[in-house]
Amino acid sequence: LAWSPEHLDACEWLEARMRQEHLAVTRDAASNIIGRLGPTAGADRPAVLVGSHLDTVPEGGAYDGALGVLAGLCVARALSGDPARLVHPLWVAAFMDEEGVRFDTSFFGSRAFAGEHLPPLDRTDDAGTSLAEAIRAGGRDTSRLTEADEIERVLAYLELHIEQGPILAESGTSLGIVTDIVGRRVFSVRLSGEANHAGTTPRSHRRDALRGAATVTTRLHDAFDRLSDGTVNVAGIAAEPGAMNVIPGVAELDVEIRASTDRTLERAVRILREIVEMVALGGDLLPQVKLVDSAEPVSFDNYLVELLERTATSNGASWTHMTSGAGHDALVMAHHVPAGMLMVPSRNGVSHSPSEFTGIAECRLGTQVLTDAVRELTANGFGGHG
Ligand SMILES: [Zn+2]
């Protein structure tokens, strides 16, 4: 978990390995580790940034995040042997707290690096430790968080990551070149009926909020089964008063919707609102749909997508375009700088589990394609055409 002793050990290990590869290493106030390899002249030129994260989730696997950081280290090793070809600096980043499990602060490090608004530091974890205390325990100064913002100095961002889904493994494809990351909307849906005696209230008089919530859930899933772009997750239903002999008077559903474009996301939200209204009407319930969290869909940079296609093809790799259903540091970066993302297969599509696995040959191929793309960018910026 982010800022845990184990994570901080991994950070120290990484810094030592970066120094071995002749990178200049800094750790900013957000605890992002950046290793920098500069050109002999023109160190002030914007950098090509390669990164991912070292933190994980409880019972997580070894590949989610860590693979991308280590791939960055391999890129640095490959490029440090030929510094004359570096026109733009290469930076390798391990962003802090991508997963956000401990303080509910996803992408904390990459958001700090990008100069985005950060969550309040008084948030606490399950043990009562505040985010500010965790940052200070890791030896960083919370008053200098704004200094982590270096996005203006970045030319392009590239990230290698495991797929965390079954598409590549099932189709036997070596690489996914990500074109979009889905946007999401999280809603709290409240249905209010009337708590009444469960035995004596006739069917025609029952205003059962939980029955309405169950109907909303199945209708939502039925509707989304027919959509070509969009997923829904009803993560939980809470009903009141929860007594055996009382009809539930209030039910609240936690609903998350994801889709890959503004248009399809809007359509999905419209479907949710329509279903809630129809069910409320039919069950004599009062509906409330409240947006509680959102992230916009993002498209990756066309040139970088083409560059990754080109380097994948020249390495003889089979590849396909993909939409990422999960958020990544690349999502934060793509809102600020041209970004690209490469995925390697996850065995059986399993992730956030100790059995997460990607074969060494697949890791190596992904890293080679990434290295070739970075070599091109550091030598020619966006002016190269292979
Ligand atoms: Zn990850």
Side-chain angles (χ1 to χ4, degrees):
L1 295 192
W3 292 285
S4 66
E6 295 82 3
H7 185 200
L8 295 174
D9 277 354
C11 290
E12 270 181 35
W13 178 90
L14 178 71
E15 288 180 340
R17 289 302 300 266
M18 282 178 159
R19 288 196 188 95
Q20 278 177 18
E21 302 302 339
H22 312 291
L23 300 176
V25 182
T26 56
R27 199 187 300 193
D28 63 30
S31 314
N32 295 316
I33 295 170
I34 319 274
R36 299 162 210 255
L37 191 66
T40 14
D44 56 338
R45 292 198 188 102
V48 176
L49 177 64
V50 178
S52 201
H53 59 100
L54 288 179
D55 66 297
T56 182
V57 299
E59 296 295 309
Y63 295 79
D64 174 3
L67 176 64
V69 174
L70 295 188
L73 197 60
C74 293
V75 171
R77 172 180 289 179
L79 269 58
S80 63
D82 194 5
R85 283 189 58 99
L86 278 180
V87 173
H88 292 275
L90 166 67
W91 291 359
V92 178
F95 290 117
M96 177 52 91
D97 194 23
E98 190 267 354
E99 301 285 1
V101 261
R102 193 169 160 198
F103 298 102
D104 194 17
T105 46
S106 307
F107 315 119
F108 183 85
S110 46
R111 288 171 72 173
F113 184 90
E116 290 190 3
H117 181 71
L118 294 175
L121 301 183
D122 57 2
R123 285 193 186 177
T124 53
D125 63 9
D126 292 343
T129 304
S130 73
L131 176 54
E133 285 164 342
I135 293 173
R136 285 196 289 267
R140 301 294 105 193
D141 179 355
T142 51
S143 70
R144 304 182 64 172
L145 268 173
T146 53
E147 293 172 26
D149 175 5
E150 295 196 74
I151 197 72
E152 295 287 321
R153 300 177 62 196
V154 173
L155 176 75
Y157 177 76
L158 287 176
E159 180 167 354
L160 175 72
H161 203 280
I162 57 167
E163 183 199 343
Q164 304 181 276
I167 295 170
L168 295 175
E170 278 182 6
S171 64
T173 309
S174 301
L175 296 172
I177 296 169
V178 185
T179 53
D180 311 271
I181 292 187
V182 295
R184 70 197 273 270
R185 297 279 185 274
V186 180
F187 294 94
S188 172
V189 176
R190 188 181 170 92
L191 294 169
S192 306
E194 191 176 27
N196 210 335
H197 197 289
T200 58
T201 311
R203 297 207 75 82
S204 57
H205 289 65
R206 293 168 99 98
R207 300 174 61 208
D208 187 335
L210 181 51
R211 182 178 179 177
T215 310
V216 165
T217 303
T218 51
R219 286 203 190 159
L220 265 178
H221 283 290
D222 288 347
F224 276 72
D225 280 346
R226 292 190 292 271
L227 290 183
S228 55
D229 178 23
T231 57
V232 66
N233 185 37
V234 179
I237 300 176
E240 291 171 22
M244 195 54 75
N245 55 359
V246 185
I247 297 165
V250 176
E252 267 187 19
L253 305 92
D254 301 317
V255 183
E256 185 203 55
I257 286 170
R258 297 179 190 234
S260 68
T261 69
D262 290 323
R263 198 174 55 82
T264 50
L265 193 56
E266 258 172 49
R267 182 181 61 186
V269 170
R270 212 162 48 234
I271 289 170
L272 166 70
R273 291 187 187 278
E274 280 170 12
I275 288 173
V276 170
E277 266 167 40
M278 291 300 288
V279 170
L281 203 63
D284 197 12
L285 306 168
L286 191 72
Q288 265 181 301
V289 179
K290 199 172 107 196
L291 180 70
V292 290
D293 196 11
S294 67
E296 300 314 309
V298 63
S299 292
F300 284 122
D301 183 79
N302 281 337
Y303 179 83
L304 295 180
V305 168
E306 280 167 27
L307 177 61
L308 290 170
E309 289 170 5
R310 216 189 310 141
T311 54
T313 303
S314 68
N315 278 284
S318 58
W319 58 265
T320 182
H321 285 152
M322 301 191 77
T323 292
S324 172
H328 296 286
D329 292 309
L331 174 135
V332 175
M333 291 299 138
H335 284 295
H336 302 274
V337 294
M341 196 168 185
L342 197 59
M343 285 187 173
V344 289
S346 299
R347 187 175 67 187
N348 299 327
V350 173
S351 177
H352 285 187
S353 150
S355 52
E356 194 175 88
F357 180 79
T358 302
I360 188 69
E362 295 164 316
C363 295
R364 186 184 290 137
L365 181 60
T367 303
Q368 186 61 54
V369 170
L370 178 73
T371 302
D372 290 352
V374 173
R375 184 179 278 123
E376 165 67 26
L377 283 171
T378 50
N380 297 314
F382 283 81
H385 298 283

